[in-house]
Amino acid sequence: DAKTTQPNSMESNEEEPVHLPCNHSTISGTDYIHWYRQLPSQGPEYVIHGLTSNVNNRMASLAIAEDRKSSTLILHRATLRDAAVYYCILRDRNSGGGADGLTFGKGTHLIIQP
Amino acid sequence: DVKVTQSSRYLVKRTGEKVFLECVQDMDHENMFWYRQDPGLGLRLIYFSYDVKMKEKGDIPEGYSVSREKKERFSLILESASTNQTSMYLCASAVWDKASREQYFGPGTRLTVT
């Protein structure tokens, strides 16, 4: 999977929007952008994914740059329960088998202040 | 909602013991995965299975084996536990769909081998 770059940590206040950036300048045309998060002492949790267009679901929104070299995960109104490590990864839709295994980088540690 | 459950949250075993970690998913997913997660090393794929009785090695299969006798159940076996297998073990499942391919994780089993 191609490499992504995220800030090590970010801090936000409760009930405010949070924008988590991810750079992926070597993204290929067949790579999907996936976001996962991991709360303390929990397994990772799928958040959202997209290919070219912006995506919304009940957890978050994903804004993808026109050239697809970067994306932003948006939490519209952060709560204390959103404090977690957020991972941005690329998944080639043409791969399969063992390549289906996920590889996380260091991610962004999101701190929410009450 | 997809539910992936693991047999234990915490487990303490002695060196040389045979250890069984069980994982069950309730969404009829074809693919199931076993990972271990260690500080500084991230998430590493041990084994995965794409169908009943089918298994493939991941990145670090040494010292482990797996069993998938039923579609919903995927077991990880440590044949002779060693202290370097002390880790957080995570099970995941996914539908066989290259367009989406999000994985759903269980809560994890923190295994300590003494």
Side-chain angles (χ1 to χ4, degrees):
Chain A
D1 292 334
K3 188 174 167 56
T4 63
T5 305
Q6 300 176 253
N8 288 335
S9 66
M10 288 184 66
E11 202 166 309
S12 182
N13 295 320
E14 200 176 6
E15 298 188 5
E16 288 185 359
V18 179
H19 291 232
L20 295 164
C22 181
N23 287 321
H24 28 78
S25 58
T26 59
I27 191 169
S28 76
T30 55
D31 283 333
Y32 278 83
I33 301 156
H34 284 239
W35 283 83
Y36 284 78
R37 71 180 186 179
Q38 189 168 18
L39 280 65
S41 301
Q42 302 280 336
E45 176 184 27
Y46 164 79
V47 178
I48 200 166
H49 76 280
L51 185 63
T52 55
S53 305
N54 294 345
V55 185
N56 300 298
N57 67 19
R58 63 178 177 82
M59 288 180 71
S61 296
L62 177 60
I64 301 172
E66 203 169 322
D67 63 5
R68 300 210 324 127
K69 293 185 186 300
S70 65
S71 60
T72 301
L73 180 71
I74 302 165
L75 307 179
H76 294 286
R77 202 159 164 264
T79 69
L80 295 177
R81 289 190 70 253
D82 291 319
V85 180
Y86 286 78
Y87 299 100
C88 166
I89 60 173
L90 303 181
R91 308 281 281 146
D92 185 347
R93 68 182 178 189
N94 291 329
S95 65
D100 263 356
L102 295 179
T103 302
F104 291 159
K106 293 189 175 169
T108 297
H109 185 199
L110 177 63
I111 300 162
I112 305 294
Q113 298 287 358
Chain B
D1 278 350
V2 176
K3 195 160 175 87
V4 179
T5 57
Q6 295 184 228
S7 47
S8 307
R9 288 302 305 271
Y10 300 94
L11 209 52
V12 179
K13 294 292 182 180
R14 294 188 183 275
T15 301
E17 278 193 84
K18 192 167 186 175
V19 182
F20 293 87
L21 302 181
E22 299 258 299
C23 174
V24 178
Q25 51 97 1
D26 66 357
M27 283 303 293
D28 202 36
H29 284 169
E30 293 86 359
N31 292 356
M32 295 187 75
F33 306 81
W34 274 107
Y35 296 90
R36 62 179 283 179
Q37 188 174 33
D38 302 285
L41 295 175
L43 205 61
R44 292 181 290 170
L45 181 65
I46 304 171
Y47 267 97
F48 75 100
S49 168
Y50 51 90
D51 203 349
V52 174
K53 296 192 186 296
M54 306 303 288
K55 61 186 179 185
E56 287 199 26
K57 294 178 181 179
D59 300 319
I60 50 162
E62 296 79 20
Y64 303 95
S65 61
V66 291
S67 171
R68 192 156 179 210
E69 296 297 318
K70 293 185 178 182
K71 190 175 185 180
E72 68 271 18
R73 190 178 297 268
F74 192 34
S75 302
L76 179 70
I77 303 145
L78 285 65
E79 297 291 342
S80 177
S82 64
T83 54
N84 63 12
Q85 292 179 309
T86 291
S87 185
M88 169 70 95
Y89 288 88
L90 293 159
C91 174
S93 73
V95 67
W96 185 253
D97 176 354
K98 288 192 174 181
S100 57
R101 299 170 65 207
E102 62 263 32
Q103 294 189 15
Y104 297 90
F105 285 82
T109 296
R110 187 163 292 283
L111 172 68
T112 302
V113 183
T114 61

